[in-house]
Amino acid sequence: MKSTKATALANSNTALIKYWGKQDEKLILPMTNSISLTVDSLSTTTTVEFSEKYQEDHFFLNDEKQTGTAENRVIEHLNLLRSKAKMNLKAKVMSRNNFPTAAGLASSASGFAALTVASCKALDLKLNQKELSMLSRRGSGSSARSIFGGFVEWIKADEASESYAKQLANKDHFDMRDIVVIFKQQKREFSTREAMKISKETSPMFKARLDVVETSLDKMRKAIEQRDFTLLGQTAEADCNLVHSIALTSKPKLSFWIDETVKIINLIKDFRKGGIAAYYTVDTGSNMHILTLPQFAAEIEMILNRIPYIVKTVVCKPGDGAKIIDNHLF
Ligand code: DP6
């Protein structure tokens, strides 16, 4: 029986200059470049087996069979990869996140990067990281950046074959911490994909960000290159605030901050007054990220762990890009 199997591990990434808005919904071409940090402690492991024994594709996440949108997005991605490999065997995909899915942490970046790398290996498609990032992008935009470790930039382009991620600096270049703060989960009204589309079409602030994003990207590249943590933190916060102003001024209004987010933002301001270098960024869940330097991480974590509305904190370091591993999940 014809059968081929591979397993990959991919880390999540935290956007320092965010990807927000597409110029092409199908090809997942972004309106702007984005810059992120691949982190070491939030990862997805995925085993993919293509085999004649499967009549259809199956996708399990944390041992639960997935249906609906989650399953459809995986099948669509498998179809893309199969067409590239000119092969049509059905697949079983098993993924496991090393963080609780119920915590609502974004898993599409690590998820699609692991799926792409494992599938390409199983399909014997010999691709370099640039090519893998272009394919991964089609599953979920931010996953293009998780192919690489350390500090990564995803380049916008009008052509599908020119929009890929590249490493700006490896994980050892600039040692910093990303403390992920997990609050009790709120039900999300819109997916990130829907929210991005709504805000591009309806927010008057969307264009305002396009006018300044090149400057923000320049500042972020410089901050990374020169290991300037203050510039990195200030630039990440400013971009985060712009993206959330876009969300808030969309129709319908998209609001991702909860009372707790604002309380932690105020705490971060107090940290800074007390000489602790800390900055925030927030994505489309209610969780948030505190960017800090290694020497402040333990103290910040200790303070956060005393706060009753914080369910969990995860201290992340700069991490590696997606890679093939030997331990299959099935
Ligand atoms: C807010 O990559 O999840 O995290 O391409 O539609 O799958 P799709 O979106 P996705 O968007 C992530 C948006 C963000 C910012 C970022 O990661 O840059």
Side-chain angles (χ1 to χ4, degrees):
M1 182 175 292
K2 227 173 128 193
S3 185
T4 162
K5 189 192 265 194
T7 301
L9 183 146
N11 286 318
S12 180
N13 70 75
T14 301
L16 301 173
I17 300 295
K18 295 185 194 297
Y19 148 51
W20 197 252
K22 298 177 179 66
Q23 53 170 309
D24 189 310
E25 304 281 333
K26 189 167 164 8
L27 298 172
I28 317 259
L29 295 173
M31 300 274 297
T32 72
N33 288 20
S34 54
I35 295 179
S36 60
L37 173 66
T38 299
V39 294
D40 71 340
S41 302
L42 305 174
S43 63
T44 304
T45 301
T46 296
T47 299
V48 184
E49 181 179 47
F50 294 93
S51 171
E52 282 173 350
K53 69 184 168 205
Y54 302 123
Q55 306 300 313
E56 53 190 48
D57 294 320
H58 303 276
F59 171 43
F60 296 85
L61 176 60
N62 297 338
D63 296 321
E64 274 180 35
K65 175 130 176 61
Q66 303 294 302
T67 53
T69 312
E71 184 188 36
N72 290 338
R73 278 182 69 174
V74 166
I75 294 177
E76 214 176 291
H77 200 55
L78 289 170
N79 288 340
L80 175 76
L81 302 174
R82 276 186 289 241
S83 72
K84 183 131 183 102
K86 300 190 173 47
M87 199 279 273
N88 53 19
L89 292 179
K90 298 291 182 195
K92 176 171 168 181
V93 177
M94 194 170 266
S95 290
R96 202 159 281 157
N97 293 331
N98 76 341
F99 47 91
T101 308
L105 289 166
S107 56
S108 69
S110 54
F112 277 96
L115 177 65
T116 305
V117 170
S119 304
C120 288
K121 171 80 179 168
L123 292 168
D124 203 27
L125 283 167
K126 293 187 175 62
L127 304 175
N128 60 30
Q129 283 180 301
K130 174 179 162 182
E131 292 163 326
L132 285 168
S133 81
M134 281 195 279
L135 277 179
S136 199
R137 185 196 86 218
R138 299 282 300 272
S140 186
S142 56
S143 77
R145 299 184 309 235
S146 274
I147 297 295
F148 295 89
F151 297 84
V152 182
E153 179 160 359
W154 171 20
I155 313 294
K156 70 164 180 179
D158 299 334
E159 293 294 322
S161 59
E162 281 163 29
S163 182
Y164 51 85
K166 61 175 190 189
Q167 189 179 60
L168 292 175
N170 70 28
K171 64 169 185 171
D172 301 318
H173 167 77
F174 188 6
D175 195 17
M176 50 177 276
R177 297 290 177 269
D178 170 10
I179 305 179
V180 185
V181 181
I182 302 166
F183 302 122
K184 204 165 155 287
Q185 285 316 295
Q186 317 280 315
K187 221 174 152 322
R188 267 208 309 210
E189 251 185 295
F190 296 96
S191 68
T192 302
R193 189 162 283 190
E194 289 165 334
M196 220 182 259
K197 188 165 189 287
I198 293 170
S199 49
K200 179 187 162 196
E201 285 165 1
T202 64
S203 169
M205 294 291 291
F206 191 86
K207 191 175 167 301
R209 178 172 181 257
L210 295 182
D211 293 341
V212 297
V213 75
E214 290 305 329
T215 310
S216 311
L217 287 159
D218 279 344
K219 283 188 191 165
M220 188 56 74
R221 287 183 208 111
K222 182 171 164 216
I224 293 166
E225 194 193 324
Q226 302 183 350
R227 300 182 185 86
D228 182 340
F229 187 70
T230 308
L231 183 63
L232 183 146
Q234 286 174 345
T235 310
E237 268 192 20
D239 186 62
C240 166
N241 291 341
L242 263 178
V243 167
H244 288 274
S245 331
I246 293 172
L248 276 176
T249 48
S250 298
K251 284 193 186 85
K253 176 174 142 187
L254 305 163
S255 170
F256 299 105
W257 292 12
I258 55 176
D259 292 352
E260 288 81 349
T261 320
V262 179
K263 282 186 197 157
I264 297 299
I265 288 176
N266 289 331
L267 178 69
I268 291 170
K269 285 186 194 150
D270 288 343
F271 283 154
R272 289 207 288 260
K273 279 188 208 140
I276 296 178
Y279 298 88
Y280 61 84
T281 187
V282 186
D283 286 330
T284 48
S286 49
N287 306 305
M288 62 192 294
H289 300 261
I290 301 182
L291 305 170
T292 189
L293 290 169
Q295 63 267 34
F296 303 118
E299 187 179 349
I300 295 178
E301 200 191 8
M302 198 180 71
I303 295 168
L304 296 174
N305 287 344
R306 283 198 224 114
I307 299 177
Y309 54 79
I310 294 177
V311 176
K312 193 176 160 66
T313 53
V314 183
V315 181
C316 300
K317 295 180 189 169
D320 290 315
K323 55 176 182 258
I324 292 292
I325 58 169
D326 294 332
N327 301 347
H328 298 312
L329 294 179
F330 64 93

